[in-house]
Amino acid sequence: MAMPRANERKLLGEADFALVAPSHYPEVGRLDRPALIDLARRLREARDASRANLATMRRAKRGKGDPRGGLNDTGVAAKKQVFAAALKRVNKLLDRGEPA
């Protein structure tokens, strides 16, 4: 199920939300192909960073690593899902090949 923008705004900071916001309709339709490719690259980097952070937190929760920060990973997991959903929207548009 898709997450509303209001929930995304609550989960993400200003910089992260500014990265995700152009992936929503109608803004994503206004981007040309090079801008979409750049957006996909930046979203992929953010998703991978969140994924690595989540893996580190879960590893610490199991007692196999040094805990950095808290052990509650629900917010980090939700943040990763927001980046993954945004990347999926952009990739879908890139796969269509519609933008010039």
Side-chain angles (χ1 to χ4, degrees):
M1 187 166 134
M3 184 177 297
R5 283 189 197 198
N7 290 354
E8 288 180 355
R9 188 180 300 273
K10 289 177 188 174
L11 285 171
L12 304 174
E14 285 296 319
D16 289 337
F17 186 73
L19 175 63
V20 171
S23 71
H24 287 284
Y25 180 81
E27 292 88 6
V28 73
R30 296 183 190 125
L31 298 175
D32 58 351
R33 189 159 184 85
L36 280 174
I37 291 170
D38 182 55
L39 179 61
R41 180 188 53 78
R42 291 184 291 134
L43 286 169
R44 193 172 296 112
E45 289 171 357
R47 183 211 50 199
D48 291 346
S50 292
R51 181 187 292 171
N53 189 12
L54 181 61
T56 302
M57 290 181 80
R58 288 184 177 167
R59 182 174 169 82
K61 191 186 253 186
R62 291 191 315 263
K64 294 185 174 239
D66 295 330
R68 297 180 186 161
L71 294 178
N72 188 2
D73 60 358
T74 55
V76 178
K79 187 175 179 179
K80 182 191 74 88
Q81 289 175 348
V82 169
F83 287 128
L87 182 61
K88 188 174 182 179
R89 287 189 297 270
V90 172
N91 281 338
K92 187 185 294 185
L93 194 60
L94 281 170
D95 287 344
R96 279 193 225 155
E98 290 177 5

Coordinates of all heavy atoms in Angstrom, one line a residue:
M1 N 0.8 -1.2 0.0 CA 0.0 0.0 0.0 C 0.9 1.2 0.0 O 1.9 1.3 0.7 CB -0.9 0.0 1.2 CG -1.9 1.0 1.3 SD -3.1 0.7 2.5 CE -3.2 2.2 3.3
A2 N 0.5 2.2 -0.8 CA 1.3 3.4 -0.9 C 1.2 4.3 0.4 O 0.2 4.3 1.1 CB 0.8 4.2 -2.1
M3 N 2.3 5.0 0.7 CA 2.3 5.8 1.9 C 2.0 7.2 1.5 O 2.6 7.7 0.5 CB 3.7 5.7 2.5 CG 3.9 6.5 3.8 SD 5.5 6.3 4.6 CE 5.5 4.6 4.9
P4 N 1.1 7.9 2.2 CA 0.8 9.3 1.9 C 2.0 10.2 2.1 O 2.9 9.9 2.9 CB -0.3 9.6 2.9 CG -0.8 8.3 3.4 CD 0.3 7.3 3.3
R5 N 2.0 11.3 1.4 CA 3.1 12.3 1.5 C 3.3 12.8 2.9 O 4.4 13.1 3.3 CB 2.9 13.4 0.5 CG 3.2 13.1 -0.9 CD 3.1 14.4 -1.7 NE 3.0 14.1 -3.1 CZ 3.3 15.0 -4.0 NH1 3.7 16.2 -3.7 NH2 3.2 14.7 -5.3
A6 N 2.1 13.0 3.6 CA 2.2 13.5 5.0 C 3.0 12.5 5.9 O 3.8 13.0 6.7 CB 0.8 13.7 5.5
N7 N 2.8 11.2 5.7 CA 3.6 10.3 6.5 C 5.1 10.3 6.1 O 5.9 10.1 6.9 CB 3.0 8.9 6.3 CG 1.7 8.7 7.0 OD1 1.2 9.6 7.7 ND2 1.0 7.6 6.8
E8 N 5.3 10.4 4.8 CA 6.7 10.5 4.3 C 7.4 11.7 4.9 O 8.5 11.6 5.4 CB 6.8 10.6 2.8 CG 6.4 9.3 2.1 CD 6.5 9.4 0.6 OE1 6.7 10.6 0.0 OE2 6.3 8.4 -0.1
R9 N 6.7 12.8 5.0 CA 7.2 14.0 5.5 C 7.6 13.9 7.0 O 8.6 14.4 7.5 CB 6.3 15.2 5.3 CG 6.9 16.6 5.7 CD 5.9 17.7 5.5 NE 5.4 17.8 4.2 CZ 6.0 18.5 3.2 NH1 7.1 19.2 3.5 NH2 5.5 18.6 2.0
K10 N 6.7 13.1 7.7 CA 7.0 12.9 9.2 C 8.2 12.0 9.4 O 9.0 12.2 10.3 CB 5.8 12.2 9.8 CG 4.6 13.1 10.0 CD 3.4 12.4 10.5 CE 2.2 13.3 10.5 NZ 1.0 12.5 10.9
L11 N 8.4 11.0 8.5 CA 9.5 10.0 8.6 C 10.8 10.6 8.2 O 11.9 10.3 8.8 CB 9.2 8.8 7.8 CG 8.2 7.8 8.3 CD1 7.9 6.8 7.3 CD2 8.7 7.2 9.6
L12 N 10.8 11.4 7.2 CA 12.1 11.9 6.6 C 12.4 13.3 7.1 O 11.5 14.1 7.4 CB 12.0 12.0 5.1 CG 11.6 10.6 4.4 CD1 11.4 10.8 2.9 CD2 12.7 9.6 4.7
G13 N 13.7 13.7 7.1 CA 14.1 15.1 7.4 C 13.8 15.9 6.1 O 13.4 15.4 5.1
E14 N 14.1 17.2 6.3 CA 13.9 18.1 5.1 C 14.7 17.7 3.9 O 14.2 17.7 2.8 CB 14.3 19.5 5.6 CG 13.2 20.2 6.5 CD 11.9 20.4 5.8 OE1 11.8 20.7 4.7 OE2 10.9 20.1 6.5
A15 N 16.0 17.4 4.1 CA 16.8 17.0 2.9 C 16.3 15.8 2.3 O 16.3 15.7 1.0 CB 18.3 16.9 3.4
D16 N 16.0 14.8 3.1 CA 15.5 13.5 2.5 C 14.2 13.7 1.8 O 13.9 13.1 0.8 CB 15.4 12.4 3.6 CG 16.8 12.0 4.1 OD1 17.7 12.1 3.3 OD2 16.9 11.5 5.2
F17 N 13.3 14.5 2.4 CA 12.0 14.7 1.8 C 12.1 15.4 0.5 O 11.4 15.2 -0.5 CB 11.0 15.4 2.7 CG 9.6 15.5 2.1 CD1 8.8 14.3 2.0 CD2 9.1 16.6 1.6 CE1 7.5 14.4 1.5 CE2 7.9 16.7 1.0 CZ 7.1 15.6 1.0
A18 N 13.1 16.4 0.4 CA 13.3 17.1 -0.8 C 13.8 16.2 -1.9 O 13.6 16.4 -3.1 CB 14.3 18.2 -0.6
L19 N 14.5 15.1 -1.5 CA 15.0 14.1 -2.5 C 13.8 13.3 -3.0 O 13.7 12.9 -4.2 CB 16.0 13.2 -1.8 CG 16.6 12.1 -2.7 CD1 17.3 12.6 -3.9 CD2 17.5 11.2 -1.8
V20 N 12.9 12.9 -2.1 CA 11.8 12.0 -2.5 C 10.6 12.8 -3.2 O 9.9 12.2 -4.0 CB 11.2 11.3 -1.2 CG1 10.0 10.5 -1.5 CG2 12.3 10.4 -0.7
A21 N 10.4 14.0 -2.8 CA 9.3 14.8 -3.4 C 9.2 14.8 -4.9 O 8.1 14.6 -5.4 CB 9.3 16.2 -2.8
P22 N 10.3 14.9 -5.6 CA 10.1 14.9 -7.1 C 9.7 13.6 -7.7 O 9.4 13.5 -8.9 CB 11.5 15.4 -7.6 CG 12.2 15.9 -6.5 CD 11.6 15.3 -5.2
S23 N 9.7 12.5 -6.9 CA 9.3 11.2 -7.4 C 7.8 11.0 -7.5 O 7.3 10.0 -8.0 CB 10.0 10.1 -6.6 OG 9.3 10.0 -5.3
H24 N 7.1 12.0 -6.9 CA 5.6 11.9 -6.9 C 5.0 12.6 -8.2 O 5.6 13.5 -8.7 CB 5.0 12.6 -5.7 CG 5.2 11.8 -4.4 ND1 4.5 10.7 -4.1 CD2 6.1 12.0 -3.4 CE1 4.9 10.2 -3.0 NE2 5.9 11.0 -2.5
Y25 N 3.9 12.1 -8.6 CA 3.1 12.7 -9.7 C 2.6 14.0 -9.2 O 2.1 14.1 -8.0 CB 2.0 11.8 -10.1 CG 1.1 12.3 -11.2 CD1 1.6 12.2 -12.5 CD2 0.0 13.0 -11.0 CE1 0.8 12.7 -13.6 CE2 -0.8 13.5 -12.0 CZ -0.4 13.4 -13.3 OH -1.1 13.9 -14.3
P26 N 2.5 15.1 -9.9 CA 2.9 15.3 -11.3 C 4.3 15.8 -11.5 O 4.7 15.9 -12.6 CB 1.9 16.4 -11.7 CG 1.7 17.2 -10.4 CD 1.8 16.2 -9.3
E27 N 5.0 16.0 -10.4 CA 6.4 16.5 -10.5 C 7.3 15.6 -11.4 O 8.1 16.0 -12.2 CB 7.1 16.7 -9.2 CG 6.5 17.9 -8.4 CD 5.3 17.4 -7.5 OE1 5.0 16.2 -7.5 OE2 4.7 18.2 -6.9
V28 N 7.1 14.2 -11.2 CA 8.0 13.3 -11.9 C 7.7 13.3 -13.4 O 8.6 13.1 -14.2 CB 7.8 11.9 -11.3 CG1 6.4 11.3 -11.7 CG2 8.9 11.0 -11.7
G29 N 6.5 13.7 -13.8 CA 6.2 13.8 -15.2 C 6.8 15.0 -15.9 O 7.0 15.0 -17.1
R30 N 7.3 16.0 -15.1 CA 7.9 17.2 -15.7 C 9.4 17.0 -15.9 O 10.0 17.9 -16.5 CB 7.6 18.4 -14.8 CG 6.2 18.7 -14.6 CD 6.0 19.9 -13.8 NE 4.6 20.1 -13.5 CZ 4.1 20.2 -12.3 NH1 4.8 20.2 -11.2 NH2 2.8 20.4 -12.1
L31 N 10.0 16.0 -15.3 CA 11.4 15.8 -15.4 C 11.8 15.1 -16.8 O 11.1 14.2 -17.3 CB 11.9 14.9 -14.3 CG 11.7 15.4 -12.9 CD1 12.1 14.4 -11.9 CD2 12.5 16.7 -12.7
D32 N 12.9 15.6 -17.3 CA 13.4 14.9 -18.6 C 14.2 13.7 -18.2 O 14.4 13.4 -17.0 CB 14.2 15.9 -19.4 CG 15.4 16.5 -18.7 OD1 15.5 16.2 -17.4 OD2 16.2 17.1 -19.3
R33 N 14.6 12.9 -19.2 CA 15.2 11.6 -18.9 C 16.5 11.8 -18.1 O 16.7 11.0 -17.2 CB 15.4 10.9 -20.2 CG 15.9 9.5 -20.0 CD 15.7 8.6 -21.3 NE 16.0 7.3 -21.0 CZ 15.2 6.4 -20.5 NH1 14.0 6.7 -20.1 NH2 15.6 5.1 -20.3
P34 N 17.4 12.7 -18.5 CA 18.7 12.8 -17.7 C 18.4 13.2 -16.2 O 19.1 12.7 -15.3 CB 19.5 13.9 -18.3 CG 19.0 13.9 -19.7 CD 17.5 13.5 -19.7
A35 N 17.4 14.0 -16.0 CA 17.0 14.3 -14.6 C 16.4 13.1 -13.9 O 16.7 12.9 -12.7 CB 16.0 15.5 -14.6
L36 N 15.7 12.3 -14.6 CA 15.1 11.1 -14.0 C 16.2 10.1 -13.6 O 16.2 9.5 -12.6 CB 14.1 10.4 -14.9 CG 12.7 11.0 -15.0 CD1 11.9 10.3 -16.1 CD2 12.0 10.8 -13.6
I37 N 17.2 10.0 -14.5 CA 18.3 9.1 -14.2 C 19.1 9.6 -13.0 O 19.5 8.7 -12.2 CB 19.2 9.0 -15.5 CG1 18.4 8.2 -16.6 CG2 20.5 8.3 -15.2 CD1 19.1 8.2 -17.9
D38 N 19.3 10.9 -12.9 CA 20.0 11.4 -11.8 C 19.2 11.2 -10.5 O 19.8 10.9 -9.4 CB 20.3 12.9 -12.0 CG 21.1 13.5 -10.8 OD1 22.2 13.0 -10.5 OD2 20.7 14.5 -10.3
L39 N 17.9 11.4 -10.5 CA 17.1 11.2 -9.4 C 17.1 9.8 -9.0 O 17.2 9.5 -7.8 CB 15.6 11.7 -9.7 CG 14.6 11.5 -8.6 CD1 15.0 12.3 -7.4 CD2 13.2 11.9 -9.1
A40 N 17.0 8.8 -9.9 CA 17.1 7.4 -9.6 C 18.4 7.1 -8.9 O 18.5 6.3 -8.0 CB 16.9 6.6 -10.8
R41 N 19.5 7.6 -9.4 CA 20.8 7.4 -8.8 C 20.9 7.8 -7.3 O 21.3 7.1 -6.4 CB 21.9 8.1 -9.6 CG 23.3 7.8 -9.1 CD 24.4 8.7 -9.8 NE 24.1 10.1 -9.8 CZ 24.2 10.9 -8.8 NH1 24.7 10.5 -7.6 NH2 23.9 12.2 -8.9
R42 N 20.4 9.1 -7.1 CA 20.4 9.6 -5.8 C 19.5 8.8 -4.8 O 19.8 8.6 -3.7 CB 20.1 11.1 -5.8 CG 21.1 11.9 -6.4 CD 20.9 13.4 -6.4 NE 19.7 13.8 -7.3 CZ 18.7 14.6 -6.9 NH1 18.7 15.1 -5.7 NH2 17.8 14.8 -7.8
L43 N 18.3 8.4 -5.3 CA 17.4 7.6 -4.5 C 18.0 6.3 -4.2 O 17.8 5.7 -3.1 CB 16.0 7.4 -5.2 CG 15.1 8.7 -5.3 CD1 14.0 8.4 -6.2 CD2 14.6 9.0 -3.9
R44 N 18.7 5.7 -5.2 CA 19.3 4.4 -5.0 C 20.4 4.5 -3.9 O 20.5 3.6 -3.0 CB 19.9 3.9 -6.3 CG 20.3 2.4 -6.2 CD 20.7 1.9 -7.6 NE 19.5 1.9 -8.5 CZ 19.4 2.7 -9.6 NH1 20.4 3.6 -9.9 NH2 18.4 2.7 -10.3
E45 N 21.2 5.6 -3.9 CA 22.2 5.8 -2.9 C 21.6 5.9 -1.5 O 22.1 5.4 -0.5 CB 23.1 7.0 -3.2 CG 24.0 6.8 -4.4 CD 24.7 8.1 -4.9 OE1 24.4 9.1 -4.3 OE2 25.5 8.0 -5.8
A46 N 20.5 6.7 -1.4 CA 19.8 6.9 -0.1 C 19.2 5.6 0.4 O 19.3 5.3 1.6 CB 18.8 8.0 -0.3
R47 N 18.6 4.8 -0.5 CA 18.0 3.6 -0.1 C 19.1 2.6 0.4 O 18.9 1.9 1.4 CB 17.3 2.9 -1.3 CG 16.6 1.6 -0.9 CD 16.5 0.6 -2.0 NE 17.7 0.4 -2.7 CZ 17.8 -0.1 -3.9 NH1 16.7 -0.4 -4.5 NH2 19.0 -0.3 -4.4
D48 N 20.2 2.5 -0.3 CA 21.3 1.7 0.1 C 21.9 2.1 1.4 O 22.3 1.2 2.2 CB 22.4 1.6 -1.0 CG 21.9 0.9 -2.3 OD1 20.9 0.3 -2.3 OD2 22.6 1.1 -3.3
A49 N 22.0 3.4 1.6 CA 22.5 3.8 2.9 C 21.6 3.5 4.1 O 22.0 3.0 5.1 CB 22.8 5.3 2.9
S50 N 20.3 3.6 3.8 CA 19.3 3.3 4.8 C 19.3 1.7 5.0 O 19.2 1.3 6.2 CB 17.9 3.7 4.4 OG 17.8 5.1 4.4
R51 N 19.5 1.0 4.0 CA 19.6 -0.5 4.1 C 20.8 -0.9 4.9 O 20.7 -1.8 5.8 CB 19.6 -1.1 2.7 CG 19.7 -2.6 2.7 CD 20.0 -3.2 1.4 NE 18.8 -3.0 0.5 CZ 18.9 -3.2 -0.8 NH1 20.0 -3.6 -1.4 NH2 17.8 -3.0 -1.6
A52 N 21.9 -0.3 4.7 CA 23.1 -0.6 5.5 C 22.9 -0.2 6.9 O 23.3 -1.0 7.8 CB 24.3 0.1 4.9
N53 N 22.3 1.0 7.2 CA 22.1 1.4 8.6 C 21.1 0.4 9.3 O 21.3 0.1 10.4 CB 21.5 2.8 8.5 CG 21.4 3.4 9.9 OD1 21.9 2.9 10.9 ND2 20.7 4.5 10.0
L54 N 20.1 0.0 8.6 CA 19.2 -1.0 9.1 C 19.8 -2.3 9.4 O 19.6 -2.9 10.5 CB 18.0 -1.2 8.2 CG 16.9 -2.1 8.6 CD1 16.2 -1.6 9.9 CD2 15.9 -2.3 7.5
A55 N 20.7 -2.8 8.6 CA 21.4 -4.0 8.8 C 22.3 -3.9 10.0 O 22.4 -4.9 10.8 CB 22.2 -4.4 7.6
T56 N 23.0 -2.8 10.1 CA 23.8 -2.5 11.3 C 23.0 -2.6 12.6 O 23.4 -3.2 13.6 CB 24.6 -1.2 11.2 OG1 25.3 -1.2 9.9 CG2 25.5 -1.0 12.3
M57 N 21.9 -1.9 12.6 CA 21.0 -1.9 13.8 C 20.5 -3.3 14.1 O 20.5 -3.6 15.3 CB 19.9 -0.9 13.6 CG 20.3 0.6 13.5 SD 18.9 1.7 13.3 CE 18.3 1.7 15.0
R58 N 20.1 -4.0 13.1 CA 19.6 -5.4 13.4 C 20.7 -6.3 13.9 O 20.5 -7.1 14.7 CB 18.9 -5.9 12.1 CG 17.6 -5.2 11.9 CD 16.9 -5.8 10.7 NE 15.6 -5.1 10.6 CZ 14.8 -5.2 9.6 NH1 15.2 -6.0 8.5 NH2 13.6 -4.6 9.5
R59 N 21.9 -6.1 13.3 CA 23.0 -6.9 13.8 C 23.3 -6.6 15.3 O 23.6 -7.5 16.1 CB 24.2 -6.6 12.9 CG 25.5 -7.3 13.3 CD 26.6 -7.0 12.2 NE 27.8 -7.6 12.7 CZ 28.2 -8.8 12.5 NH1 27.4 -9.7 12.0 NH2 29.4 -9.2 12.9
A60 N 23.3 -5.3 15.6 CA 23.5 -4.9 17.0 C 22.4 -5.4 17.9 O 22.7 -5.8 19.1 CB 23.6 -3.4 17.1
K61 N 21.2 -5.5 17.4 CA 20.1 -6.0 18.2 C 20.3 -7.5 18.5 O 19.9 -8.0 19.6 CB 18.8 -5.8 17.4 CG 17.5 -6.0 18.2 CD 16.3 -6.0 17.3 CE 15.6 -4.7 17.5 NZ 14.3 -4.7 16.7
R62 N 20.9 -8.2 17.6 CA 21.2 -9.6 17.8 C 22.4 -9.8 18.7 O 22.7 -11.0 19.1 CB 21.4 -10.3 16.5 CG 20.2 -10.5 15.6 CD 20.4 -11.4 14.5 NE 21.7 -11.2 13.8 CZ 21.9 -10.5 12.7 NH1 20.8 -9.9 12.1 NH2 23.0 -10.4 12.1
G63 N 23.1 -8.8 19.0 CA 24.3 -8.9 19.9 C 25.6 -9.2 19.1 O 26.6 -9.6 19.7
K64 N 25.6 -9.0 17.8 CA 26.8 -9.3 17.0 C 27.6 -8.1 16.7 O 28.6 -8.2 16.0 CB 26.4 -10.0 15.8 CG 25.8 -11.4 16.0 CD 25.5 -12.1 14.8 CE 25.0 -13.5 15.1 NZ 25.9 -14.5 14.5
G65 N 27.2 -6.9 17.1 CA 28.0 -5.7 16.7 C 27.8 -4.7 17.8 O 27.0 -4.8 18.7
D66 N 28.5 -3.6 17.6 CA 28.4 -2.5 18.6 C 27.2 -1.7 18.3 O 26.9 -1.3 17.1 CB 29.6 -1.6 18.4 CG 30.9 -2.3 18.9 OD1 30.9 -3.2 19.7 OD2 32.0 -1.9 18.3
P67 N 26.3 -1.5 19.3 CA 25.1 -0.7 19.1 C 25.5 0.8 18.9 O 26.2 1.4 19.7 CB 24.3 -0.9 20.3 CG 25.3 -1.3 21.4 CD 26.4 -2.0 20.6
R68 N 25.1 1.4 17.8 CA 25.3 2.8 17.5 C 23.9 3.4 17.5 O 23.1 3.3 16.6 CB 25.9 3.0 16.1 CG 27.3 2.4 16.0 CD 27.9 2.6 14.7 NE 29.1 1.9 14.6 CZ 29.7 1.5 13.4 NH1 29.1 1.9 12.3 NH2 30.8 0.9 13.4
G69 N 23.7 4.2 18.6 CA 22.3 4.8 18.7 C 21.4 3.8 19.4 O 21.9 2.9 20.1
G70 N 20.2 3.9 19.2 CA 19.2 3.0 19.8 C 19.1 1.7 19.0 O 19.7 1.5 18.0
L71 N 18.3 0.8 19.6 CA 18.1 -0.5 19.0 C 16.7 -0.6 18.3 O 16.3 -1.7 17.8 CB 18.2 -1.6 20.0 CG 19.6 -1.8 20.6 CD1 19.6 -2.9 21.7 CD2 20.6 -2.1 19.5
N72 N 15.9 0.5 18.3 CA 14.6 0.5 17.7 C 14.8 0.8 16.2 O 15.1 1.9 15.8 CB 13.7 1.5 18.4 CG 12.3 1.4 17.9 OD1 12.0 0.5 17.1 ND2 11.4 2.2 18.4
D73 N 14.5 -0.2 15.4 CA 14.8 0.0 14.0 C 13.5 0.2 13.1 O 13.6 0.2 11.9 CB 15.5 -1.3 13.4 CG 14.7 -2.6 13.6 OD1 13.6 -2.5 14.1 OD2 15.2 -3.6 13.1
T74 N 12.4 0.5 13.7 CA 11.2 0.6 13.0 C 11.2 1.9 12.1 O 10.7 1.9 11.0 CB 9.9 0.7 13.9 OG1 10.1 1.7 14.9 CG2 9.7 -0.7 14.6
G75 N 11.7 3.0 12.6 CA 11.8 4.2 11.9 C 12.7 4.1 10.7 O 12.5 4.6 9.6
V76 N 13.8 3.4 10.9 CA 14.8 3.2 9.9 C 14.3 2.3 8.8 O 14.5 2.6 7.6 CB 16.1 2.6 10.4 CG1 17.2 2.4 9.3 CG2 16.7 3.6 11.5
A77 N 13.5 1.3 9.2 CA 12.9 0.4 8.2 C 11.9 1.1 7.3 O 11.8 1.0 6.1 CB 12.3 -0.8 8.9
A78 N 11.1 2.0 8.0 CA 10.1 2.8 7.3 C 10.7 3.8 6.3 O 10.3 4.0 5.2 CB 9.2 3.5 8.2
K79 N 11.8 4.4 6.7 CA 12.6 5.3 5.9 C 13.1 4.6 4.7 O 13.0 5.1 3.6 CB 13.7 5.9 6.7 CG 14.5 7.0 6.0 CD 15.5 7.6 7.0 CE 16.3 8.7 6.4 NZ 17.2 9.3 7.3
K80 N 13.6 3.4 4.8 CA 14.1 2.6 3.7 C 13.0 2.3 2.7 O 13.1 2.4 1.5 CB 14.8 1.3 4.2 CG 15.4 0.5 3.0 CD 15.8 -0.9 3.5 CE 14.6 -1.8 3.7 NZ 14.1 -2.5 2.6
Q81 N 11.8 2.0 3.3 CA 10.7 1.7 2.4 C 10.2 2.9 1.6 O 9.8 2.8 0.5 CB 9.5 1.2 3.3 CG 9.7 -0.2 3.8 CD 8.6 -0.6 4.8 OE1 7.8 0.2 5.2 NE2 8.6 -1.9 5.1
V82 N 10.3 4.1 2.2 CA 10.0 5.3 1.5 C 10.9 5.5 0.3 O 10.5 5.8 -0.8 CB 10.0 6.5 2.4 CG1 9.9 7.8 1.6 CG2 8.9 6.4 3.4
F83 N 12.2 5.3 0.5 CA 13.2 5.5 -0.6 C 13.0 4.4 -1.6 O 13.1 4.7 -2.8 CB 14.6 5.4 0.0 CG 15.1 6.6 0.7 CD1 15.6 6.5 2.0 CD2 14.9 7.9 0.2 CE1 16.0 7.6 2.7 CE2 15.3 9.0 0.8 CZ 15.9 8.9 2.1
A84 N 12.7 3.2 -1.2 CA 12.5 2.1 -2.2 C 11.2 2.4 -3.0 O 11.2 2.1 -4.2 CB 12.3 0.8 -1.4
A85 N 10.2 2.9 -2.4 CA 8.9 3.2 -3.2 C 9.2 4.3 -4.2 O 8.7 4.3 -5.3 CB 7.8 3.5 -2.2
A86 N 9.9 5.3 -3.7 CA 10.2 6.4 -4.6 C 11.1 5.9 -5.8 O 10.8 6.3 -7.0 CB 11.0 7.5 -3.9
L87 N 12.1 5.1 -5.5 CA 12.9 4.5 -6.6 C 12.1 3.7 -7.5 O 12.3 3.7 -8.8 CB 14.0 3.7 -6.0 CG 15.0 3.1 -7.0 CD1 15.7 4.2 -7.8 CD2 16.0 2.3 -6.2
K88 N 11.1 3.0 -7.0 CA 10.3 2.1 -7.8 C 9.4 3.0 -8.8 O 9.3 2.6 -10.0 CB 9.3 1.3 -6.9 CG 8.5 0.2 -7.7 CD 7.8 -0.6 -6.7 CE 7.0 -1.7 -7.4 NZ 6.3 -2.6 -6.4
R89 N 8.9 4.1 -8.3 CA 8.1 5.0 -9.2 C 9.0 5.6 -10.3 O 8.5 5.6 -11.4 CB 7.6 6.2 -8.3 CG 6.4 5.8 -7.4 CD 5.8 7.0 -6.8 NE 6.6 7.8 -6.0 CZ 6.8 7.6 -4.7 NH1 6.1 6.7 -4.1 NH2 7.6 8.4 -3.9
V90 N 10.2 6.0 -10.0 CA 11.1 6.6 -11.0 C 11.5 5.5 -12.0 O 11.5 5.8 -13.2 CB 12.3 7.3 -10.3 CG1 13.3 7.7 -11.3 CG2 11.8 8.4 -9.5
N91 N 11.9 4.3 -11.5 CA 12.3 3.3 -12.4 C 11.1 2.8 -13.3 O 11.4 2.5 -14.5 CB 12.8 2.0 -11.6 CG 14.2 2.2 -11.1 OD1 14.9 3.0 -11.6 ND2 14.5 1.5 -10.1
K92 N 9.9 2.9 -12.8 CA 8.8 2.5 -13.7 C 8.6 3.5 -14.8 O 8.4 3.1 -16.0 CB 7.5 2.5 -12.9 CG 6.3 2.0 -13.6 CD 5.0 2.1 -12.8 CE 5.1 1.2 -11.6 NZ 3.8 1.2 -10.9
L93 N 8.8 4.8 -14.5 CA 8.7 5.8 -15.6 C 9.9 5.7 -16.6 O 9.7 5.8 -17.8 CB 8.7 7.2 -14.9 CG 8.3 8.3 -15.8 CD1 6.9 8.1 -16.4 CD2 8.3 9.6 -15.1
L94 N 11.1 5.4 -16.0 CA 12.3 5.2 -16.9 C 12.1 4.0 -17.8 O 12.5 4.0 -19.0 CB 13.5 5.0 -16.1 CG 14.1 6.3 -15.6 CD1 15.2 6.0 -14.6 CD2 14.6 7.2 -16.7
D95 N 11.5 2.9 -17.3 CA 11.3 1.7 -18.1 C 10.3 1.9 -19.2 O 10.4 1.3 -20.3 CB 10.8 0.5 -17.2 CG 11.9 0.0 -16.3 OD1 13.1 0.3 -16.6 OD2 11.6 -0.7 -15.4
R96 N 9.4 2.8 -19.0 CA 8.4 3.1 -20.1 C 9.1 3.8 -21.2 O 8.6 3.7 -22.4 CB 7.3 4.0 -19.5 CG 6.2 3.3 -18.8 CD 5.0 4.2 -18.6 NE 4.6 4.0 -17.3 CZ 3.9 4.9 -16.6 NH1 3.7 6.1 -17.1 NH2 3.5 4.7 -15.4
G97 N 10.1 4.6 -20.9 CA 10.8 5.3 -22.0 C 10.0 6.5 -22.5 O 10.3 7.0 -23.6
E98 N 9.0 7.0 -21.8 CA 8.2 8.1 -22.3 C 8.9 9.4 -22.3 O 8.8 10.1 -23.3 CB 6.9 8.2 -21.5 CG 6.0 7.1 -21.7 CD 4.7 7.1 -20.9 OE1 4.6 8.1 -20.2 OE2 3.9 6.2 -21.0
P99 N 9.6 9.8 -21.2 CA 10.3 11.1 -21.3 C 11.3 11.3 -22.3 O 12.0 10.3 -22.7 CB 10.9 11.3 -19.9 CG 10.2 10.3 -19.0 CD 9.8 9.2 -19.9
A100 N 11.5 12.4 -22.9 CA 12.4 12.6 -24.0 C 13.8 12.5 -23.6 O 14.4 12.8 -22.7 CB 12.2 14.0 -24.6

